[in-house]
DNA sequence: ATGGTGGATGGTCCA
């Protein structure tokens, strides 16, 4: 079972890249963030014609998540259990046989200390509570997506200059760490120890060309899944294309059939 | 310290 996550920054603009990529990579599951599309505008037919099932949960202009899968989910969860209609569309989960996949677009937070930052911290706590209430650590659970947090300094191009700032501040790292402590393993770090491996580069200041990135997109697996995770990597090729997303896909492979 | 770019939108907001 191969699972990928990719913040596409507008599925409308990036649909050709996504269709090309799934055609080549053939993941069993692709979790997408920032579709920026209401559900009536989702390109369902284009995706289904490639042989993937799709679930989607979006809104106008901002946010929006989707999950493409080879098999049809047994269960779909759109937002947290207490979700209001007005909540931003940032969470979509599916049950695929024995596997639960939780796709998240964690709020960016904008700037440490501002109201959006508080919202980010609260949102992470909501996610932690949802998972700890809905699941046991011996189940096959993946939480993945754009976490908007670089968990360690080796995930950041200039950790000294950026210390304490948004995406790597202590408080947001601590919030995410409390989720990890429920029982998740960062699959990428099972297979790579090096610094300088990133999943996102700002569009500005030629950040990609200058290798100024961060690893903020993650695939976290519960212990029983982590123990059968055979590979994990970041495919930076789509970031080199014309009109790319600012994020690259992250992929993990497991010795598991779904 | 500021502003750089890109997407959605229709003046700015968000990242």
């Amino acid at each position: 079972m191969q699972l990928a996550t990719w913040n596409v920054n507008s599925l409308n603009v990036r649909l050709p890249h996504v269709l090309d990529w799934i055609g080549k990579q053939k993941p069993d599951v692709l979790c997408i963030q920032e579709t920026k599309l209401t559900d009536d505008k989702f390109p369902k037919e284009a995706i289904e014609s490639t042989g993937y099932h799709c679930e989607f949960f979006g809104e106008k202009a901002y946010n929006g998540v989707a999950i493409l899968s080879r098999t049809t989910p047994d269960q779909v969860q759109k937002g947290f259990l207490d979700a209001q209609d007005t909540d931003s569309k940032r969470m979509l989960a599916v049950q695929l046989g024995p596997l639960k996949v939780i796709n998240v677009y964690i709020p960016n937070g904008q700037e440490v200390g501002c109201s959006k930052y508080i919202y980010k911290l609260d949102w992470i706590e909501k996610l932690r509570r949802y998972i700890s209430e809905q699941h046991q650590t011996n189940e096959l659970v993946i939480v993945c997506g754009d976490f908007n947090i670089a968990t360690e300094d080796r995930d950041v191009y200039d950790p000294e200059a950026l210390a304490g700032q948004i995406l790597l501040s202590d408080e947001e790292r601590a919030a995410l760490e409390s989720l990890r402590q429920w029982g998740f393993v960062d699959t990428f770090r099972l297979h790579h120890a090096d610094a300088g491996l990133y999943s996102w580069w700002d569009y500005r200041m030629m950040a990609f060309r200058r290798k100024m990135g961060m690893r903020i997109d993650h695939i976290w697996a519960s212990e029983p899944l982590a123990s059968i995770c055979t590979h994990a990597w970041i495919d930076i090729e789509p970031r080199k294309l014309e009109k790319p997303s600012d994020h690259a896909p992250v992929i993990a492979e497991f010795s598991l059939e779904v």
Side-chain angles (χ1 to χ4, degrees):
Chain A
M1 195 278 296
Q2 187 183 98
L3 176 140
T5 177
W6 192 4
N7 179 323
V8 299
N9 186 21
S10 170
L11 185 56
N12 203 23
V13 173
R14 230 65 65 193
L15 185 61
H17 289 190
V18 171
L19 294 177
D20 281 356
W21 193 79
I22 61 178
K24 275 189 268 187
Q25 189 60 45
K26 306 186 191 327
D28 296 288
V29 184
L30 173 61
C31 294
I32 294 175
Q33 305 85 37
E34 281 208 273
T35 60
K36 299 186 176 180
L37 290 171
T38 50
D39 292 348
D40 60 306
K41 302 258 174 60
F42 193 88
K44 190 170 184 283
E45 289 75 21
I47 286 166
E48 284 176 345
S49 70
T50 67
Y52 281 89
H53 179 91
C54 52
E55 293 292 339
F56 38 91
F57 185 47
E59 64 185 88
K60 191 177 175 182
Y62 306 112
N63 312 310
V65 280
I67 301 178
L68 280 48
S69 56
R70 285 280 182 201
T71 57
T72 303
D74 304 295
Q75 260 186 295
V76 181
Q77 173 69 35
K78 297 182 176 184
F80 297 120
L81 297 175
D82 62 348
Q84 309 292 305
D85 286 349
T86 52
D87 288 353
S88 47
K89 309 297 190 280
R90 296 176 174 275
M91 185 279 215
L92 176 64
V94 296
Q95 187 77 37
L96 294 164
L99 173 69
K100 176 75 172 275
V101 178
I102 304 164
N103 177 19
V104 297
Y105 176 44
I106 294 181
N108 170 283
Q110 194 169 55
E111 191 181 344
V112 172
C114 73
S115 60
K116 286 177 191 156
Y117 183 75
I118 306 302
Y119 173 66
K120 179 179 197 173
L121 299 176
D122 291 345
W123 201 94
I124 295 166
E125 171 55 18
K126 242 182 173 177
L127 174 62
R128 191 203 61 76
R129 200 178 314 132
Y130 170 81
I131 290 171
S132 65
E133 287 172 1
Q134 296 299 311
H135 294 288
Q136 305 292 319
T137 55
N138 63 355
E139 294 173 356
L140 305 182
V141 183
I142 287 175
V143 58
C144 68
D146 179 357
F147 287 15
N148 266 316
I149 294 177
T151 55
E152 300 175 279
D153 283 355
R154 60 178 163 164
D155 299 321
V156 179
Y157 68 93
D158 192 344
E160 287 78 26
L162 297 170
Q165 295 189 33
I166 198 68
L167 308 184
L168 59 149
S169 69
D170 289 342
E171 221 180 335
E172 59 193 298
R173 280 178 169 176
L176 195 56
E177 173 62 12
S178 69
L179 169 63
R180 194 198 59 76
Q181 280 178 0
W182 172 80
F184 286 117
V185 175
D186 179 345
T187 58
F188 185 80
R189 286 298 179 204
L190 285 173
H191 302 283
H192 305 275
D194 292 351
L197 301 168
Y198 309 132
S199 65
W200 168 80
W201 302 259
D202 201 303
Y203 283 123
R204 296 166 287 192
M205 301 188 298
M206 297 180 290
F208 183 66
R209 216 172 71 189
R210 297 161 68 190
K211 303 186 189 304
M212 297 165 65
M214 295 193 203
R215 194 176 68 91
I216 59 174
D217 301 271
H218 303 284
I219 300 173
W220 284 8
S222 61
E223 288 285 353
L225 271 171
S227 68
I228 55 169
C229 178
T230 52
H231 306 281
W233 70 99
I234 300 166
D235 183 3
I236 68 165
E237 292 306 313
R239 187 64 177 80
K240 301 174 181 171
L241 300 173
E242 287 286 317
K243 302 266 292 174
S245 168
D246 45 350
H247 296 252
V250 181
I251 309 100
E253 253 177 41
F254 303 87
S255 301
L256 175 77
E257 299 295 323
V258 294

